[in-house]
Amino acid sequence: MTVSQPATLTAAHLNGLRRSFAGEVVPPEAPGYDDARRVWNAMFDRRPALVVRPTNVDDVIAAVRFGRERDLEIAIRGGGHSGLGHSTTDGGLVIDLGLMNEVRVDPARRLARTGGGALLGQLDVAAQEHGLVCPVGVVGHTGVAGLTLGGGIGRLQRRFGLTIDSLRAVELVTADGHVVRASADEQPELFWGLRGAGANFGVATSLELELHPFSGTLHRGVHVHPASDIHELWAVFREFAAAAPDTVAAIFTVALAEPAADYPDTVAGRPIVVIAYNHSGAGEDAERDIAPLLRGPKPASVTPTSERYVDVQRSSDLSLAWGSRAFILGGNIADCSPSVLDAFVAHVEHVPGESSISVTTLGGAIGRVPDDAMAYSGRTSPFDVAPDTSWSDPALDDANAEWTRQAMAIVEPDLLPGRYINELSDAGPEVTRASYGDEKLQRLRELKRAWDPTNVFRLNHNIAP
Ligand SMILES: Cc1cc2nc3c(=O)[nH]c(=O)nc-3n(C[C@H](O)[C@H](O)[C@H](O)COP(=O)(O)OP(=O)(O)OC[C@H]3O[C@@H](n4cnc5c(N)ncnc54)[C@H](O)[C@@H]3O)c2cc1C
């Protein structure tokens, strides 16, 4: 298929589509077009030839066929959070699943069925009404589909596994406009690929996710330290992570203490290390389990709390609202050497935006699933490292991307195999290869040839057929 040029769709084209399409059709001249074409990351200010909002599976089929017949580049939008603007296109067709956002919970079977456009916040609330949870990401307005098809990392994964580990089935509209169900028993090879490279194979119109019993309380703490203690702090954190129970997830972040007014005088405006943890077990266990983290240097400030999970899950929804500009990279590491730690501190002294370098604990239930069980790769790594930055001035786009790439270069020699595609704002064949490794990439290419031989679905970390 050729890459589309900005297309002009005539009234006759649109009327033809409307005859087989019950949802919303939003061409550039429609009053809601500017709103309909927006995605979360303001760096991607694109002008599709058409945005459609299907309301059911037949609409999705009609939209895919319409896009193909007119040779339009097709972008699928779930929650719109792609770090690369993959859910929009200049001159192509956006299939925005935002109206297919239903979430149904079957408490007896501990299953949730979510529409292709459902958001994490909806799933969190619906599951918690029954004392259940699906481990997802940390911001309520991320799309369930986009997050899950890439992997899904958040506050409960060490206890319950990646989001894909809870995925039981996907209903998919394929490139040739048919509906297929993939699960462990139906199209198992496709189901293997959907769990980690899922945006490549079709439009997920619904997902079935296993739910887990969960009290709904998180015991949390944030310890802020001067970065001058970073070596001792890392030694404590690494040892803590190796022995922590699955109920604990923790993040070691190197940043600049800005705005200075938000921090104690001892660290304000200077590089800091922030150690944050979430404990999803019983309150009395939390105190015991977290104690080893406090063996290191005394923090400049500590804020322990116990909060409702659903409140924590939406606590960043405003600070990470739509309209940000953002860039993130990531990879897997086993450790941070003293020179890496020093380089992190030096690098955050000159940040172009709200920028930081985070090292997150993996392991637990994530690492107990064999790495070859799904397309997702890198399960055996103890840590994920991710520099990320956000800003608002378009003139700072290049500086922020460059800062993030330089931060990643610090750990490049130490990277373990496998990268998590949902945290990569850079893309291309080498990034895809590093994410899955040669063997899995070969298997994924065979799948792509079987399900999407002309690469209709290419706005993703693309598996070239
Ligand atoms: C503020 C913010 C917070 C985040 N937090 C986390 C986190 O805690 N944990 C984590 O693991 N990741 C996190 N991410 C990354 C996030 O998981 C990915 O960006 C993910 O791809 C977003 O999915 P989406 O549906 O919201 O995005 P979209 O931009 O709509 O889609 C992203 C990709 O998935 C495809 N896609 C979306 N829906 C469908 C569908 N129904 N069928 C087929 N393909 C589809 C799109 O075509 C595109 O390629 C975060 C991102 C942001 C911006």
Side-chain angles (χ1 to χ4, degrees):
M1 173 177 277
T2 54
V3 173
S4 60
Q5 298 301 313
T8 306
L9 295 170
T10 63
H13 291 141
L14 299 182
N15 288 337
L17 173 65
R18 285 188 180 104
R19 275 197 284 279
S20 56
F21 190 87
E24 295 176 7
V25 175
V26 191
E29 60 278 12
Y33 175 75
D34 274 333
D35 208 29
R37 72 186 179 85
R38 281 177 70 221
V39 288
W40 180 85
N41 192 327
M43 291 172 80
F44 304 99
D45 182 20
R46 295 193 176 143
R47 302 190 67 83
L50 186 66
V51 179
V52 294
R53 292 204 182 106
T55 52
N56 56 46
V57 175
D58 287 342
D59 280 358
V60 175
I61 294 170
V64 169
R65 290 189 173 156
F66 179 84
R68 292 201 63 181
E69 280 158 17
R70 279 164 193 78
D71 210 10
L72 296 168
E73 181 169 69
I74 295 178
I76 316 296
R77 178 166 136 193
H81 271 200
S82 162
L84 287 129
H86 276 153
S87 42
T88 185
T89 157
D90 268 327
L93 171 68
V94 173
I95 303 179
D96 171 5
L97 295 156
L99 299 179
M100 295 176 65
N101 65 354
E102 65 283 353
V103 175
R104 273 197 228 120
V105 170
D106 179 341
R109 293 172 65 215
R110 290 189 188 155
L111 268 187
R113 190 179 160 96
T114 65
L119 303 180
L120 304 189
Q122 296 174 263
L123 176 57
D124 285 334
V125 169
Q128 270 291 280
E129 277 170 11
H130 302 279
L132 299 170
V133 77
C134 181
V136 289
V138 303
V139 175
H141 42 76
T142 305
V144 174
L147 173 120
T148 306
L149 297 172
I153 296 180
R155 298 184 168 101
L156 300 176
Q157 272 67 356
R158 279 173 45 83
R159 180 167 171 191
F160 299 120
L162 298 172
T163 314
I164 39 175
D165 301 340
S166 293
L167 187 63
R168 293 293 163 259
V170 180
E171 181 187 75
L172 201 71
V173 171
T174 59
D176 60 4
H178 290 99
V179 183
V180 65
R181 189 181 145 90
S183 68
D185 306 319
E186 302 143 289
Q187 304 294 351
E189 183 66 7
L190 176 61
F191 191 50
W192 175 88
L194 285 170
R195 289 172 294 168
N200 272 278
F201 303 110
V203 185
T205 46
S206 72
L207 288 82
E208 282 175 28
L209 292 148
E210 183 182 341
L211 303 175
H212 311 267
F214 173 50
S215 72
T217 302
L218 285 180
H219 310 285
R220 328 181 64 208
V222 178
H223 303 175
V224 179
H225 298 263
S228 50
D229 288 335
I230 194 165
H231 294 271
E232 287 158 277
L233 290 167
W234 175 255
V236 170
F237 187 83
R238 185 186 50 200
E239 201 174 314
F240 170 77
D246 293 355
T247 43
V248 179
I251 307 184
F252 183 99
T253 301
V254 188
L256 200 59
E258 294 282 4
D262 292 353
Y263 292 89
D265 290 348
T266 46
V267 295
R270 307 228 299 275
I272 46 173
V273 172
V274 180
I275 296 178
Y277 65 85
N278 284 289
H279 189 296
S280 61
E284 58 273 23
D285 294 345
E287 203 172 314
R288 178 201 63 208
D289 294 339
I290 298 303
L293 250 195
L294 301 167
R295 285 192 194 131
K298 216 174 141 33
S301 71
V302 185
T303 42
T305 54
S306 290
E307 295 174 55
R308 277 192 342 143
Y309 175 73
V310 287
D311 293 337
V312 176
Q313 286 289 94
R314 55 178 159 237
S315 61
S316 302
D317 285 8
L318 284 180
S319 59
L320 292 168
W322 276 52
S324 311
R325 309 177 88 79
F327 200 93
I328 183 167
L329 292 172
N332 294 312
I333 51 168
D335 198 356
C336 292
S337 66
S339 61
V340 162
L341 295 169
D342 290 340
F344 282 171
V345 174
H347 200 57
V348 301
E349 285 201 51
H350 306 284
V351 291
E354 283 186 39
S355 323
S356 63
I357 304 169
S358 299
V359 183
T360 301
T361 52
L362 299 175
I366 301 170
R368 286 196 287 273
V369 174
D371 201 68
D372 61 0
M374 305 171 197
Y376 177 95
S377 299
R379 286 180 179 273
T380 52
S381 169
F383 300 109
D384 170 89
V385 58
D388 80 284
T389 177
S390 64
W391 67 100
S392 52
D393 180 356
L396 296 177
D397 286 2
D398 289 346
N400 276 277
E402 197 44 35
W403 181 89
T404 314
R405 291 188 185 114
Q406 285 171 4
M408 205 59 213
I410 296 170
V411 289
E412 201 74 41
D414 303 325
L415 287 181
L416 300 173
R419 294 180 77 171
Y420 177 34
I421 54 147
N422 278 354
E423 65 178 9
L424 301 178
S425 294
D426 274 332
E430 283 318 308
V431 175
T432 309
R433 181 180 299 281
S435 300
Y436 301 109
D438 285 333
E439 206 174 310
K440 284 191 182 179
L441 188 57
Q442 188 52 34
R443 197 168 159 185
L444 286 166
R445 290 185 71 182
E446 279 160 28
L447 259 182
K448 184 76 172 175
R449 280 185 216 121
W451 292 98
D452 183 16
T454 57
N455 211 2
V456 172
F457 302 113
R458 58 178 173 273
L459 290 175
N460 42 49
H461 283 278
N462 196 232
I463 309 293

